[in-house]
Protein backbone atom coordinates (compact mmCIF):
# COMPACT_ATOMS: atom_id res chain seq x y z
CA UNK A 1 0.00 0.00 0.00
CA UNK A 2 1.23 3.48 -0.85
CA UNK A 3 -0.13 6.97 -0.70
CA UNK A 4 1.17 10.31 -1.82
CA UNK A 5 -0.16 13.72 -0.80
CA UNK A 6 -0.07 15.73 -4.02
CA UNK A 7 -1.44 18.97 -2.66
CA UNK A 8 -2.23 20.43 0.77
CA UNK A 9 -3.08 24.07 0.21
CA UNK A 10 -5.18 26.80 1.76
CA UNK A 11 -7.37 28.00 -1.11
CA UNK A 12 -9.03 31.09 0.33
CA UNK A 13 -7.36 34.50 0.45
CA UNK A 14 -9.81 36.01 2.95
CA UNK A 15 -11.35 34.32 5.97
CA UNK A 16 -14.33 32.13 5.06
CA UNK A 17 -17.41 32.89 7.15
CA UNK A 18 -20.51 30.67 7.11
CA UNK A 19 -23.67 32.72 6.51
CA UNK A 20 -25.51 30.84 9.27
CA UNK A 21 -22.82 29.63 11.69
CA UNK A 22 -25.46 28.54 14.22
CA UNK A 23 -26.49 25.75 11.80
CA UNK A 24 -22.94 24.42 11.36
CA UNK A 25 -21.62 21.58 13.51
CA UNK A 26 -17.91 21.77 14.27
CA UNK A 27 -15.65 20.30 13.25
CA UNK A 28 -17.16 20.44 9.76
CA UNK A 29 -17.20 17.11 7.90
CA UNK A 30 -14.74 16.89 5.00
CA UNK A 31 -16.17 17.29 1.50
CA UNK A 32 -14.61 14.45 -0.50
CA UNK A 33 -14.58 13.08 -4.03
CA UNK A 34 -13.00 9.76 -5.01
CA UNK A 35 -12.23 8.36 -8.45
CA UNK A 36 -10.50 5.16 -9.52
CA UNK A 37 -8.09 5.75 -12.41
CA UNK A 38 -5.03 3.97 -13.84
CA UNK A 39 -1.99 6.19 -14.48
CA UNK A 40 0.67 4.12 -16.27
CA UNK A 41 -1.58 1.05 -15.83
CA UNK A 42 -1.50 1.21 -11.99
CA UNK A 43 -4.99 1.21 -10.36
CA UNK A 44 -5.08 4.28 -8.11
CA UNK A 45 -7.68 6.13 -6.07
CA UNK A 46 -7.62 9.90 -6.61
CA UNK A 47 -8.96 11.43 -3.39
CA UNK A 48 -9.78 15.14 -3.19
CA UNK A 49 -10.94 16.76 0.04
CA UNK A 50 -12.04 20.22 1.08
CA UNK A 51 -11.55 20.93 4.78
CA UNK A 52 -12.88 23.85 6.82
CA UNK A 53 -10.51 24.69 9.69
CA UNK A 54 -10.46 27.54 12.19
CA UNK A 55 -8.62 30.44 10.54
CA UNK A 56 -6.72 31.07 13.79
CA UNK A 57 -4.85 27.78 13.24
CA UNK A 58 -1.97 28.60 10.86
CA UNK A 59 -0.88 24.97 10.32
CA UNK A 60 -1.71 22.77 7.36
CA UNK A 61 -3.81 19.72 8.20
CA UNK A 62 -1.87 16.46 7.98
CA UNK A 63 -2.90 13.18 6.38
CA UNK A 64 -2.50 9.95 8.31
CA UNK A 65 -1.62 6.80 6.39
CA UNK A 66 -4.93 5.42 5.02
CA UNK A 67 -6.18 2.08 6.29
CA UNK A 68 -8.11 -0.55 4.32
CA UNK A 69 -10.94 -2.28 6.15
CA UNK A 70 -12.40 -4.89 3.77
CA UNK A 71 -13.92 -2.80 0.92
CA UNK A 72 -13.54 0.54 2.73
CA UNK A 73 -10.60 2.92 2.83
CA UNK A 74 -10.37 5.02 5.98
CA UNK A 75 -8.51 8.37 5.98
CA UNK A 76 -7.87 10.84 8.80
CA UNK A 77 -7.07 14.49 8.19
CA UNK A 78 -5.52 15.78 11.43
CA UNK A 79 -5.48 19.33 12.78
CA UNK A 80 -5.57 21.15 16.13
CA UNK A 81 -9.07 22.52 16.70
CA UNK A 82 -9.76 25.09 19.42
CA UNK A 83 -12.58 24.41 21.85
CA UNK A 84 -14.47 27.54 20.79
CA UNK A 85 -16.60 27.68 17.68
CA UNK A 86 -14.54 29.58 15.11
CA UNK A 87 -15.70 32.93 13.83
CA UNK A 88 -14.10 32.20 10.47
CA UNK A 89 -12.43 29.30 8.69
CA UNK A 90 -9.70 28.65 6.21
CA UNK A 91 -10.61 26.32 3.37
CA UNK A 92 -7.98 23.66 2.64
CA UNK A 93 -7.74 21.57 -0.51
CA UNK A 94 -6.02 18.22 0.01
CA UNK A 95 -5.39 15.83 -2.87
CA UNK A 96 -3.80 12.43 -2.63
CA UNK A 97 -3.31 9.25 -4.62
CA UNK A 98 -3.67 5.86 -2.97
CA UNK A 99 -2.74 2.48 -4.38
CA UNK A 100 -2.46 -1.08 -3.10
CA UNK A 101 -2.76 -4.64 -4.40
CA UNK A 102 -6.46 -4.58 -3.45
CA UNK A 103 -7.35 -0.99 -4.40
CA UNK A 104 -9.87 -2.18 -7.02
CA UNK A 105 -11.88 -3.85 -4.21
CA UNK A 106 -12.49 -0.54 -2.43
CA UNK A 107 -16.07 0.67 -2.90
CA UNK A 108 -16.11 3.58 -0.45
CA UNK A 109 -13.83 5.97 1.37
CA UNK A 110 -14.61 7.10 4.90
CA UNK A 111 -12.76 10.29 5.71
CA UNK A 112 -12.49 12.09 9.01
CA UNK A 113 -11.41 15.54 10.06
CA UNK A 114 -9.79 14.68 13.38
CA UNK A 115 -8.97 17.10 16.16
CA UNK A 116 -5.74 16.14 17.89
CA UNK A 117 -6.48 17.74 21.28
CA UNK A 118 -8.93 16.65 22.51
CA UNK A 119 -9.31 13.80 20.05
CA UNK A 120 -12.65 14.14 18.29
CA UNK A 121 -13.66 13.76 14.68
CA UNK A 122 -16.38 14.25 12.10
CA UNK A 123 -16.59 11.91 9.15
CA UNK A 124 -18.21 11.35 5.81
CA UNK A 125 -18.64 8.36 3.46
CA UNK A 126 -17.95 8.70 -0.24
CA UNK A 127 -18.59 6.05 -2.90
CA UNK A 128 -15.78 5.33 -5.33
CA UNK A 129 -16.54 6.69 -8.80
CA UNK A 130 -15.06 4.71 -11.69
Amino acid sequence: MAYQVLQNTRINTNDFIFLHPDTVTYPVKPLVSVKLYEPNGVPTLKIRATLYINSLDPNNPTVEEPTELEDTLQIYFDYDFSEETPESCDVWYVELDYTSDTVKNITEVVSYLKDLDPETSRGTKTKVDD
Side-chain angles (χ1 to χ4, degrees):
M1 131 178 74
Y3 79 105
Q4 179 181 12
V5 177
L6 304 171
Q7 189 171 350
N8 186 348
T9 308
R10 184 175 66 118
I11 59 175
N12 59 307
T13 54
N14 297 318
D15 291 346
F16 177 87
I17 298 172
F18 288 100
L19 291 178
H20 302 285
D22 53 320
T23 63
V24 179
T25 304
Y26 292 93
V28 177
K29 294 179 188 180
L31 301 175
V32 179
S33 69
V34 181
K35 181 161 184 71
L36 182 64
Y37 77 121
E38 296 193 22
N40 301 318
V42 178
T44 304
L45 287 180
K46 170 70 72 185
I47 302 164
R48 297 178 176 115
T50 304
L51 310 174
Y52 295 86
I53 296 176
N54 188 339
S55 59
L56 295 177
D57 181 359
N59 300 313
N60 291 39
T62 58
V63 181
E64 288 184 22
E65 183 172 345
T67 305
E68 285 187 42
L69 304 167
E70 298 179 12
D71 62 349
T72 300
L73 183 69
Q74 194 170 54
I75 300 176
Y76 286 91
F77 301 100
D78 297 340
Y79 73 108
D80 194 9
F81 181 73
S82 69
E83 290 300 306
E84 298 88 35
T85 300
E87 291 184 23
S88 63
C89 292
D90 283 332
V91 184
W92 292 87
Y93 174 77
V94 181
E95 181 177 331
L96 62 128
D97 280 351
Y98 175 83
T99 188
S100 73
D101 293 338
T102 55
V103 72
K104 283 188 165 185
N105 298 334
I106 295 172
T107 61
E108 71 179 0
V109 173
V110 180
S111 53
Y112 298 94
L113 183 58
K114 183 175 85 174
D115 182 9
L116 297 175
D117 183 30
E119 191 168 312
T120 57
S121 63
R122 291 282 308 229
T124 186
K125 290 183 180 180
T126 308
K127 295 288 182 194
V128 174
D129 185 22
D130 53 341

